[in-house]
Each structure stands twice: as structure tokens, then as C-alpha cells.
Amino acid sequence: MSGAGGDAKPGPDPKPGPGERLSDALYGLGWAAVKTLPEPAARALFRTLADQVWKRRGKSVLRLEANLARVVPDADPARLAALSRAGMRSYMRYWMESFRLPTWSPERIKASIDVTDAHRLTEGLDAGNGVILALPHLGNWDLAGAWVTTDLKVPFTTVAERLKPESLYDRFVAYREGLGMEVLPHNGGAAFGMLARRLRAGGLVCLVADRDLSASGVEVSFFGDTARMPAGPALLAQQTGALLLPVTLSYDDTPVMKARVHPPVEVPGSGDRAHRTSSMTQALADAFALGIAEHPEDWHMLQRLWLADLEPRGDQQGGDQQ
């Protein structure tokens, strides 16, 4: 799941480079092979991979650690190192589960997530005005989506960042569509219109919304500094009357992921659209911050986020594959 915006059909795929072809091949191997491993072996393998990546101290690990330093500003170097190691293990748990998720039964999916205050979602859907779920990069949002489609039996629409090569993007779309999601690509205004139509029909839209992928995001105060987050969830709520619900996810030492549906973000009764959008996006950021502060190791933010960290060329446009 991702931010907002996009057209409905991928364009021609330019010839991918060697690195892109390797990425596509590795992800294909993951989906084909990891789901056939015994689960204890898969968990051990991905924990070992996480520790090896962490020990190499590459750019992604250093960026994760720098982001965590903002979340836990009083952490000394030893604690930051421990948090980043736990963060890489959490990140690899996400991938291990995602590679295996297509083989899980509805009963297994239901048993793998414990949702607090799910009534806010179900009551919102029953009201018939549409619901927007907005999440940060916490835990496993694909598992949360699979719970919605299998346990609640509610289809939903989301947006995925366009990846390179196109074949890798197609793998992710097929994977998420196989879990019951309608996936729109993230590059343009057509997706926003489609999302609005789904909401006006009483449907559900799910968006990962803690990192802006455009130049039109909303500036928010986030852990004491300025970051930019997408305006899409707030704009959709204003234009359609849909309920906007923040959701945070977390892991613990059990196989069961925890989810919390936060109170709805209300549309302010005064101010122009820009003011309302800014206020609502800040409310989302505050809800995300609550969940991230409680479980910083489960925040999979391996990219630059805060404006002070962004390079002039705009690293906020850099993507992940989630």
C-alpha cells in the first residue's frame, strides 16, 4: 500500500539495466522459494539475513538509524545500534511474511493479527459513506490488508509506487491483487479520481501515508522537526465525506501482529481547504507518531523523511518496494 495518485495502466517498460533485472529475479525467487520452506527455517533465514545486512552498515541501515535517532532522541549509540538491529529484523520479518502470505489460509491470516478498536472500521463501513485507512510504514501492512479482505470480507483499493523494472512492479501488483486488493499505480491524478469514486460508493481505501512521494505534500511537525506527508487522505475525506481512520501496527515476540484503529480524524469546521488539509494531515502525523514511539523498531523507514535531511535533488522521490 502506498500514498495516492496514478493512472490505471502501466506504460511501456524501457529496457531494464542489470541491477533492475537482478532485483526482479531475486524477488521472483523469494516468492517462489521462501513460501516452500518450513516456517522455522524461513524465520531463521530472514533473521540471519537481517543481522548480516545490519553488520555491513550500508546506507539503508545508517539511514534507519538516523531516523530512529529522531524518534528516540535520548538514545545513546549502543541503544541506537540495538534499535536499528531490531529494526532490520522487523523489516526482514515483513518480507518473510509477505513472501509466504499468498499460501496462508483465511484462518491463518485471522489468527496472525490482533486488532484493537476494529469497531471503528466496521461501524464506519456500515454507515455507507466510505472509509479511508491511513497507515505509516509500521509492521506488515500487507497482512493487515489481507485481514480486511479475508476476515472482514471487504475489498479495498490502494495505490502502489511504480517500481523499476516494470516487471517487478507487475509482481507486486499481482501479489497484492492476489490478496484481494485493487491496486492503482502512483503517478498522476487519475488514481485520485478513482479512489474518490470508490469512497462515494461506500467503499474502503487504504493508503500508506507517512512519506510524501510528490512535490505537493503537506508539511507537518513530526518528532520535533518538519517532514512532508501526502495530502491525499485529507483531501479524499474532505471531497467525499468518507471517514478518515489512522491505523498503526506493531510486532512483539509472538507470531501475532498487533493493530490499532485510532479515533477518526475530523474535518475542521472552519478555514479554507489548505488549512483543513494541513490540520488533518498533522492529526494523522500525530497518530502515526504515537504508534512509532511505542514500537520504533517496527518503523520501516529506510529513506530520508525530514526536510532537513533531504538533499537538494529531492531524495524524497526515491522509492522502496513496499
Side-chain angles (χ1 to χ4, degrees), residues 2 64 98 105 111 144 152 159 165 168 232 239 244 254 258 269 280 292 294:
S2 189
L64 174 63
S98 294
S105 67
L152 298 186
V159 176
L168 179 56
Q239 292 193 18
L244 176 55
T254 74
K258 307 304 186 289
M280 295 172 72
I292 293 167
E294 291 176 354

Side-chain angles (χ1 to χ4, degrees), residues 59 63 161 211-215 228 301-320:
K59 288 183 179 180
R63 173 47 47 193
E161 181 181 356
R211 183 168 66 94
D212 180 51
L213 297 175
S214 73
R228 188 180 291 121
M301 185 55 65
L302 279 65
Q303 301 81 21
R304 299 173 189 268
L305 177 69
W306 283 271
L307 299 191
D309 295 336
L310 295 175
E311 296 178 355
R313 62 187 175 85
D315 269 12
Q316 70 268 35
Q317 301 299 328
D320 58 15

Side-chain angles (χ1 to χ4, degrees), residues 7-250:
D7 57 17
K9 180 70 176 174
D13 184 15
K15 186 176 180 180
E20 294 174 353
R21 291 197 297 270
L22 178 60
S23 294
D24 186 30
L26 289 174
Y27 283 111
L29 178 63
W31 268 302
V34 174
K35 62 187 178 184
T36 66
L37 290 174
E39 186 151 331
R43 290 188 180 277
L45 171 63
F46 275 75
R47 175 165 285 212
T48 299
L49 287 174
D51 289 347
Q52 290 177 345
V53 171
W54 178 80
K55 288 177 182 177
R56 286 202 299 267
R57 308 288 291 165
K59 288 183 179 180
S60 62
V61 173
L62 294 177
R63 173 47 47 193
L64 174 63
E65 208 161 279
N67 289 340
L68 290 171
R70 290 182 177 273
V71 175
V72 191
D74 60 345
D76 60 21
R79 187 181 178 200
L80 274 179
L83 276 174
S84 67
R85 183 175 188 174
M88 290 310 300
R89 287 181 171 182
S90 175
Y91 184 56
M92 287 300 179
R93 175 174 171 175
Y94 162 84
W95 282 113
M96 187 276 295
E97 290 179 346
S98 294
F99 286 142
R100 299 175 67 86
L101 195 51
T103 68
W104 287 8
S105 67
E107 294 75 21
R108 171 68 189 274
I109 291 171
K110 181 179 180 180
S112 297
I113 184 169
D114 178 19
V115 184
T116 299
D117 293 327
H119 67 92
R120 290 176 172 141
L121 169 58
T122 56
E123 290 171 2
L125 290 169
D126 289 343
N129 296 320
V131 175
I132 306 159
L133 296 182
L135 305 89
H137 284 78
L138 267 174
N140 189 336
W141 39 98
D142 288 326
L143 174 55
W147 172 79
V148 169
T149 58
T150 58
D151 190 41
L152 298 186
K153 295 181 172 53
V154 175
F156 67 87
T157 305
T158 188
V159 176
E161 181 181 356
R162 191 180 292 279
L163 306 173
K164 292 182 180 180
E166 197 75 39
S167 56
L168 179 56
Y169 170 81
D170 291 341
R171 286 186 191 275
F172 275 90
V173 170
Y175 158 64
R176 287 176 171 139
E177 288 180 342
L179 298 176
M181 311 175 192
E182 179 186 30
V183 182
L184 307 178
H186 184 294
N187 69 340
F192 187 92
M194 182 66 74
L195 295 174
R197 286 193 287 276
R198 296 289 184 265
L199 292 169
R200 290 191 180 103
L204 177 64
V205 164
C206 300
L207 301 170
V208 176
D210 58 344
R211 183 168 66 94
D212 180 51
L213 297 175
S214 73
S216 58
V218 176
E219 292 188 4
V220 296
S221 176
F222 196 55
F223 291 103
D225 208 344
T226 303
R228 188 180 291 121
M229 295 187 180
L235 289 172
L236 284 166
Q238 291 176 70
Q239 292 193 18
T240 67
L243 188 70
L244 176 55
L245 293 173
V247 176
T248 55
L249 310 171
S250 64

Side-chain angles (χ1 to χ4, degrees), residues 231-312:
L235 289 172
L236 284 166
Q238 291 176 70
Q239 292 193 18
T240 67
L243 188 70
L244 176 55
L245 293 173
V247 176
T248 55
L249 310 171
S250 64
Y251 289 130
D252 55 21
D253 293 332
T254 74
V256 180
M257 183 176 72
K258 307 304 186 289
R260 177 186 174 192
V261 183
H262 293 255
V265 172
E266 304 290 348
V267 178
S270 61
D272 59 14
R273 186 175 73 168
H275 169 79
R276 294 193 300 269
T277 301
S278 176
S279 176
M280 295 172 72
T281 306
Q282 182 63 61
L284 281 180
D286 292 343
F288 295 165
L290 286 174
I292 293 167
E294 291 176 354
H295 300 276
E297 69 279 3
D298 292 325
W299 189 40
H300 306 154
M301 185 55 65
L302 279 65
Q303 301 81 21
R304 299 173 189 268
L305 177 69
W306 283 271
L307 299 191
D309 295 336
L310 295 175
E311 296 178 355

